[in-house]
């Protein structure tokens, strides 16, 4: 049977790691031992209290709804825990109309777009940046205007780079701090500017806070909702994936503008049937115990981060120490004339080490590469040893 896929699939960019996966498979087929520092997916196990809560709930015979659709049998504890978390962590009060529970942020970003964008609408996304914002637009036959992030501006989006006609047309603007892939963090003042820009141009500011808990050296990342009026001008995508080592669990929420939340909920009602109750209970447990559960995870990333930064420095390829995220974002060595793809290629060919070329996150990411800290210490150490040899140090 001839079955051409929908036209929209042709508009999707190639999956960021597809090419990488293919190259790794080819090397492995040649019997070469490849070490990957490419993908950002926590290797550390989910903390035990969260797992215990899942098990307690899933086997609890007193809960007659434990097997049912999560949307029909929501766990009241989860919105309560989300509220408690926003109150404790940011001093932000949320009400029920401002909260949508989601199965992670990636899904939520696309579903959110489906609820808000018409064909031909415009969304603004940063480059380098997480590819899913544009993918959400593509699924709605909407368009993306990319704003370059620049090292000279601390990788913060410069709102002056958005042309007036673009600002007038756009409906959504995506930002993400702590940032993937640049590891940059944003002060509250930046979020204030974002809210002000959004209000002036009637653009909803969509803040992706996927790395809000992966912070180091005493740094605490602010929420955009701390800005007065932001609960109307913005939404925040919160995810338990990276902070709690829960990527596979699919747990998160979107909070903020009630009309946007309502639209997202309507999409969700028609597309998925909510989260398993046990996962809802476990997510509530995680948020309630954030203060004790995340520091041990971050201690491990911090140790790995220091190892990477130190070794690259010794190799003559110095990098800045990131305050947040699970990555190191490093300038491509000069020898490769700033071509991150050429560097990543050489690293794979000559050293058997996989890193993500910044070019994969858009042209403005070229000249940098990303190392993920989500691999065991020994793996990272061996990869670094190989990198050091390639550098001739
Ligand atoms: C990992 C990641 C997410 C998505 O995480 P989920 O597992 O879908 O919640 C969202 N945004 C950025 C920038 C990410 O790196």
């Amino acid at each position: 049977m001839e079955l051409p896929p929908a036209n929209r699939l042709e508009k999707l960019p190639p999956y960021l790691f597809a090419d990488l996966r293919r190259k790794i498979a080819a090397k492995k087929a040649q019997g070469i031992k490849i070490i990957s520092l490419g993908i950002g997916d926590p290797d550390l196990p989910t903390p035990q209290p969260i797992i215990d809560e899942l098990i307690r709930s899933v086997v609890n015979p007193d809960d007659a709804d434990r097997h049912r659709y999560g949307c029909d049998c929501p766990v009241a504890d989860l919105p309560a825990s989300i509220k408690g978390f926003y109150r404790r962590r940011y001093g932000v009060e949320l009400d029920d109309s401002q909260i949508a529970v989601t199965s992670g942020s990636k899904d939520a970003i696309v579903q959110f777009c489906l609820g808000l964008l018409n064909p031909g609408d415009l969304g603004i996304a940063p480059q380098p940046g997480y590819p899913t914002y544009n993918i959400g637009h593509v699924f709605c036959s909407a368009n993306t205007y990319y704003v370059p992030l620049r090292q000279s501006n601390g990788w913060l989006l410069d709102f002056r780079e958005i042309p007036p006609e673009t600002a007038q047309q756009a409906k959504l603007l995506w930002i993400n701090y702590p940032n993937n892939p640049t590891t940059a963090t944003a002060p509250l003042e930046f979020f204030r500017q974002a809210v002000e820009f959004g209000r002036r141009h009637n653009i909803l500011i969509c803040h992706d806070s996927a790395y809000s808990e992966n912070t180091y050296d005493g740094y605490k990342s602010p929420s955009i909702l701390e800005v007065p009026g932001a609960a109307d001008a913005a939404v925040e995508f919160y995810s338990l994936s990276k902070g709690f080592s829960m990527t596979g669990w699919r747990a998160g929420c979107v909070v903020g503008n009630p009309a946007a939340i309502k639209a997202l909920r309507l999409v969700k009602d028609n597309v998925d049937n909510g989260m398993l109750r046990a996962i809802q209970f476990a997510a509530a447990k995680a948020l309630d115990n954030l203060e004790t559960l995340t520091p041990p995870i971050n201690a491990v990333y911090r140790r790995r981060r220091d190892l990477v930064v130190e070794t690259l420095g010794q190799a003559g390829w110095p990098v800045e120490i990131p305050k947040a995220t699970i990555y190191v974002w490093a300038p491509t060595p000069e020898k490769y004339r700033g071509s991150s793809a050429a560097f990543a290629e050489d690293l794979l060919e000559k050293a058997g080490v996989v890193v993500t070329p910044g070019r994969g996150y858009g042209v403005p990411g070229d000249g940098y590469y990303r190392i993920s800290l989500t691999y065991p210490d020994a793996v990272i150490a061996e990869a670094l040893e190989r990198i050091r040899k390639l550098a001739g140090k």
Side-chain angles (χ1 to χ4, degrees):
M1 187 164 70
E2 206 168 307
L3 194 62
N7 295 340
R8 69 172 68 86
L9 294 194
E10 278 165 29
K11 294 203 182 127
L12 293 176
Y15 177 56
L16 184 55
F17 297 111
D19 194 37
L20 216 55
R21 283 203 175 126
R22 220 175 3 255
K23 283 184 185 147
I24 295 166
K27 285 275 153 201
K28 281 186 178 157
Q30 294 167 26
I32 296 166
K33 191 186 165 210
I34 298 294
I35 304 179
S36 173
L37 303 181
I39 297 174
D41 188 354
D43 61 312
L44 300 170
T46 305
Q48 197 58 42
I50 303 173
I51 296 172
D52 291 344
E53 180 65 11
L54 175 96
I55 295 169
R56 183 201 64 75
S57 165
V58 87
V59 300
N60 180 7
D62 298 335
D63 182 359
D65 294 328
R66 65 188 150 131
H67 64 284
R68 292 210 149 109
Y69 287 131
C71 59
D72 295 332
C73 304
V75 169
D77 305 40
L78 183 50
S81 294
I82 292 166
K83 286 180 204 169
F85 161 73
Y86 265 87
R87 184 179 306 125
R88 277 192 336 274
R89 175 94 151 71
Y90 303 119
V92 168
E93 293 294 331
L94 296 171
D95 66 49
D96 289 329
S97 72
Q98 297 170 313
I99 303 172
V101 170
T102 65
S103 298
S105 287
K106 190 175 186 175
D107 324 35
I109 288 165
V110 176
Q111 293 184 340
F112 187 82
C113 289
L114 288 172
L116 287 172
L117 295 177
N118 289 314
D121 276 352
L122 184 66
I124 301 173
Q127 247 186 353
Y130 188 59
T132 307
Y133 316 131
N134 169 59
I135 290 167
H137 301 167
V138 167
F139 276 122
C140 300
S141 301
N143 301 309
T144 303
Y145 181 89
Y146 285 113
V147 187
L149 304 184
R150 301 181 199 281
Q151 197 262 334
S152 57
N153 197 40
W155 303 107
L156 292 174
L157 191 146
D158 185 345
F159 298 95
R160 291 168 306 184
E161 293 209 44
I162 300 170
E165 63 276 15
T166 301
Q168 188 170 4
Q169 214 197 326
K171 201 161 176 184
L172 307 177
L173 185 154
W174 297 92
I175 49 176
N176 161 226
Y177 296 95
N179 184 259
N180 177 16
T182 70
T183 75
T185 57
L188 191 57
E189 177 52 32
F190 170 81
F191 290 129
R192 204 169 278 133
Q193 281 173 28
V195 166
E196 209 250 325
F197 179 84
R199 281 191 156 157
R200 184 151 27 100
H201 299 286
N202 201 30
I203 299 172
L204 184 69
I205 306 298
C206 306
H207 178 234
D208 176 356
S209 72
Y211 296 93
S212 60
E213 310 317 325
N214 300 102
T215 60
Y216 312 106
D217 310 327
Y219 173 73
K220 283 217 178 304
S221 72
S223 161
I224 193 166
L225 294 191
E226 288 176 60
V227 177
D232 178 54
V235 287
E236 188 156 80
F237 288 69
Y238 184 84
S239 169
L240 281 79
S241 285
K242 311 296 172 29
F244 294 93
S245 276
M246 287 174 71
T247 40
W249 296 57
R250 315 310 299 132
C253 62
V254 183
V255 298
N257 178 284
I261 295 298
K262 194 173 165 192
L264 171 61
R265 283 194 190 150
L266 190 57
V267 173
K268 286 184 67 64
D269 284 348
N270 285 278
V271 174
D272 66 48
N273 282 316
M275 286 151 94
L276 179 72
R277 274 170 73 82
I279 297 178
Q280 297 184 53
F281 278 113
K285 182 85 179 177
L287 291 172
D288 290 347
N289 294 281
L290 168 97
E291 292 81 356
T292 53
L293 296 178
T294 56
I297 295 175
N298 288 337
V300 175
Y301 290 136
R302 182 177 181 274
R303 184 174 74 221
R304 294 174 182 172
R305 174 201 71 172
D306 291 347
L307 182 66
V308 171
V309 170
E310 196 186 323
T311 313
L312 289 177
Q314 288 163 358
W317 296 340
V319 297
E320 273 178 46
I321 303 174
K323 278 195 291 208
T325 78
I326 51 179
Y327 310 108
V328 171
W329 178 245
T332 306
E334 253 167 64
K335 186 173 140 200
Y336 296 89
R337 295 212 199 103
S339 165
S340 59
F343 175 65
E345 198 85 7
D346 229 27
L347 209 53
L348 179 61
E349 282 300 321
K350 297 183 180 152
V353 174
V354 176
V355 297
T356 314
R359 179 72 174 76
Y361 297 93
V363 173
D366 210 8
Y368 289 81
Y369 64 100
R370 195 192 77 172
I371 286 178
S372 171
L373 303 173
T374 57
Y375 296 88
D377 291 35
V379 171
I380 294 180
E382 189 182 340
L384 289 169
E385 202 41 50
R386 292 185 186 189
I387 291 175
R388 203 206 317 241
K389 277 203 193 114
L390 181 72
K393 297 284 161 94

